[in-house]
Amino acid sequence: QVQLVESGGGRVQTGDSLRLSCAVSGRTFSSSALGWFRQRPGEAREFVAACTWNGDSTSYADSVKGRFIISRDNAKNTVDLQMNTLKREDTAIYYCAAGFAMGDSPRLYRSWGQGTQVIVSS
């Protein structure tokens, strides 16, 4: 079982930057990817970014491409999400996840963190 703990959420203004971090512990045989998803009230969980377990390949949602960067720190065993040029529509609870394939479907991910809130105001 993989354990994931997010940190770094908060309230910022449009155009600001924020960095989320997810501490990763444990690894199952089927764990091959790490990802970030977000969820707004009343909406389904949405893919943001993903990377392979060692971080050598990444994938992004079109809505964040060019603004967000996912990175893997194997020494610290974290997966981070650097969010730049934040917009109001980035407001959501952000979740870290571990799964068996790098993709944009939540069904690929078996382990989830508790989430961290990001609020972007103008």
Side-chain angles (χ1 to χ4, degrees), residues 2 11 28 30-31 33 60 76 97 99 102 109-110 112 119 122:
V2 180
R11 182 186 296 269
T28 64
S30 61
S31 298
Y60 296 93
K76 296 181 180 179
M102 190 178 74
Y109 300 83
R110 300 282 178 85
W112 295 84
I119 299 173
S122 56

Side-chain angles (χ1 to χ4, degrees), residues 43-108:
E43 297 185 12
R45 200 160 289 190
E46 175 190 39
F47 171 72
V48 175
C51 66
T52 49
W53 194 267
N54 61 5
D56 61 356
S57 183
T58 59
S59 176
Y60 296 93
D62 287 343
S63 59
V64 305
K65 201 171 293 183
R67 298 189 299 123
F68 290 12
I69 301 171
I70 187 171
S71 60
R72 180 83 164 106
D73 188 326
N74 290 302
K76 296 181 180 179
N77 213 6
T78 62
V79 57
D80 298 338
L81 186 68
Q82 176 67 40
M83 305 186 294
N84 302 317
T85 320
L86 282 161
K87 305 176 181 179
R88 290 189 65 182
E89 51 264 41
D90 295 320
T91 294
I93 298 175
Y94 284 72
Y95 296 91
C96 177
F100 60 87
M102 190 178 74
D104 60 4
S105 171
R107 287 176 288 185
L108 295 173

